[in-house]
Amino acid sequence: MKIEENHIQNVNNNDLKSHNDHFDFLSNSLNNKGVDVNNIVKKLQEFQVAIPSWALGAGGTRFGRFSFYGEPSNLEQKIQDVGLIHSLTQTAGAVSLHIPWDIPEDYKAIKEIASGLNIKFDAVNSNTFQDQKNAKESYKYGSLSNTSEAVRQQAIQHNLDVINIGDKLGSKSLTVWLADGSCFPGQNNFQTALQNTENSLKEIYKGLPNDWSMLIEYKPYEPNFYSTVIQDWGTSFMLANACGDKAYSLVDLGHHLPNSNIEQIVSILMLKGKLGGFHFNDSKYGDDDLTVGSIKPYALFLIFNELVYGMQNNPQNPDLAWMIDASHNVKDPLEDLIQSLEAIQEAYAKALLVDQNELKIAQQENDVVKCQEILQNAYRTDVRPLLEKARLNAGGALNPIKAYRSLDVRNELIKERGKNTVATGL
Ligand code: LRH
Ligand code: MN
């Protein structure tokens, strides 16, 4: 299924007048405050978020999985679904593959489908948290940290294979997330596990092409429930420094213990030039992988405020890899991803409204109340007309969810694919 631009325009026509009224009102009031509205709209159009290839079907938990039918059953269909999201939102111009869940059979064909839909290949993800059929070694007791050198070698080789797959697709970064850890005190020697992991990452790092980067993702727990080798930002930062200039930390919003100050972690990693990218999602308790901005939208805004400050003041930090990492238990996967993209764009637009110089002066003068006023004035601004304008300029939908439903996309996919297709992934 492909959504033609004229279909989207037909859906937009009903909302064009109200959009123009809201946009004109907002841009007038922002222009009066000296805000360069066109610059913000341009930045929103340029802001592309990678869709996780493993989150295009229904997610699930150990307690059950409920399909939405019409799921993509191969990589071609997954990229077509990313194309559907991108045609409506114009901000999902990339896909992040997970290997071996998404090994291309025909690289030429996959690249043609993707470029035909303006979809780039973002970071490729290795998987040493599951055993593959006919694998010689098991990752039951870890992969890069395993006490067995044979297991570590198998995991290192897998990551080198993933780099090779990504290189053939035009990807420029490898994301390494390790489930490695322990479930009981005494099970692991923490120092041996960390040293093995560092040495293994250095072997993988040697296999990185010059223009590639390695993103080291941390997580405090799950699937191990007593210790995780790469448990927090400090450990990821330490390992990235140990590997070299092309290694960075990846921040998955769900990988923090309750009440962690993620915006402070983001600002520190940017100051040190070691923030490589994000896995956006939201959570109430653990690594819930819920829709971005659905639980803690203000926290997301504060993170983007640090990102905007960092992008203006930390040239030592590279361009960031923006990705979603979510799982869909009760929402249509495509609608869930569309809502996440909206929340990301909204947080970014609100953060771009913060006058960072005015805030810096108020911080210098310890005018605490003014600092909060500056932040919350931006946060309390309804920026949705700016997001709509950015989509409209790019040929997208004013209201992507409304367009998705009025074009009856899910039922069209069920007609095409039937009710029994199951997407690979989590
Ligand atoms: C681990 C994680 C990681 C992926 C996996 C699908 O929780 O966030 O980024 O490999 O989810
Ligand atoms: Mn993740």
Side-chain angles (χ1 to χ4, degrees), residues 10-11 81 126 142 162 171 198 253 271 282 286 343 351 373 380 389:
N10 296 344
V11 178
D81 284 8
S126 60
V162 172
S171 172
E198 180 175 323
L253 299 187
L271 177 63
D282 209 338
E373 288 300 306
R380 291 168 175 154
K389 176 62 79 179

Side-chain angles (χ1 to χ4, degrees), residues 146-163:
N146 198 293
T147 54
S148 150
E149 195 196 346
V151 175
R152 298 198 300 275
Q153 279 312 319
Q154 177 180 287
I156 291 166
Q157 187 51 52
H158 165 69
N159 279 276
L160 297 175
D161 297 344
V162 172
I163 292 171

Side-chain angles (χ1 to χ4, degrees), residues 13 25 49 72 97 110 143 172 177 192 195 199 202 219 236 240 251 269 293 301 307 325 352 368 390 400 420:
N13 290 341
F25 173 80
V49 179
L97 300 190
I110 282 293
S143 61
K172 293 296 180 194
W177 168 68
T192 305
Q195 197 57 64
N199 297 342
K202 285 175 176 173
K219 182 175 180 177
S236 164
V251 176
L269 288 171
F301 162 74
L307 286 167
D325 184 1
L352 288 169
V368 182
N420 306 318

Side-chain angles (χ1 to χ4, degrees), residues 264-281:
Q264 183 182 15
I265 294 170
V266 166
S267 70
I268 294 169
L269 288 171
M270 288 197 90
L271 177 63
K272 297 300 179 183
K274 276 299 186 185
L275 180 63
F278 278 87
H279 278 180
F280 291 112
N281 47 56

Side-chain angles (χ1 to χ4, degrees), residues 16-29:
L16 219 43
K17 178 158 181 350
S18 99
H19 160 71
N20 289 334
D21 296 348
H22 286 100
F23 181 77
D24 295 346
F25 173 80
L26 177 62
S27 36
N28 289 340
S29 68

